[in-house]
Amino acid sequence: MKKIEAIVRPFKVDDVKEAIAALGLKGMTVTEVKGFGRQGGHKEVYRGAEYQVDFIAKTKIEIVVEAERVPEVLEAVRNSALTGKVGDGKIFVTSVDEVVRIRTGETGLDAI
């Protein structure tokens, strides 16, 4: 099993959700996060005063899938989150050793 973590622009979350649902995947976790990368921060003006915003609002989407499905999920997430501008985000893939559904005690792929 693999965990796919995608850091995307907040307004792209619904597009990603629809792309994931179209693949027949049943769940995902969404978290509001802040951070920066190459985009760095940006300057804003409030009441005439300019100030630096170091952290940009992003959304983290987490999906756990069978290892064989990773390529199609990556493609769906990337295509649906893409704007072509700096700050579109990143996708990370990590291994998941075990999953347990708390309610039933199911483990492994049955728990996804």
Side-chain angles (χ1 to χ4, degrees):
M1 293 176 289
K2 300 287 185 176
K3 179 178 178 181
I4 299 171
E5 291 181 84
I7 310 296
V8 302
R9 297 175 187 270
F11 67 87
K12 296 301 274 178
V13 172
D14 285 336
D15 295 341
V16 173
K17 178 184 168 199
E18 290 173 13
I20 294 302
L23 294 177
L25 298 175
K26 297 181 177 147
M28 60 191 248
T29 301
V30 177
T31 310
E32 293 178 10
V33 296
K34 291 183 180 185
F36 68 91
R38 287 186 184 169
Q39 183 180 9
H42 63 275
K43 293 187 186 321
E44 290 190 6
V45 177
Y46 178 73
R47 294 188 178 182
E50 189 175 273
Y51 64 98
Q52 180 71 23
V53 176
D54 292 326
F55 294 102
I56 308 297
K58 299 287 183 179
T59 303
K60 178 166 71 169
I61 299 170
E62 298 172 280
I63 309 160
V64 177
V65 298
E66 301 92 347
E68 300 80 31
R69 299 210 59 192
V70 169
E72 68 177 319
V73 175
L74 287 178
E75 181 179 1
V77 171
R78 182 179 182 276
N79 290 340
S80 60
L82 179 67
T83 68
K85 297 182 177 136
V86 173
D88 274 352
K90 296 270 192 299
I91 303 173
F92 304 96
V93 180
T94 56
S95 294
V96 174
D97 295 330
E98 187 61 81
V99 177
V100 177
R101 178 172 287 141
I102 294 173
R103 180 178 56 85
T104 63
E106 293 171 297
T107 61
L109 293 176
D110 293 334
I112 295 181

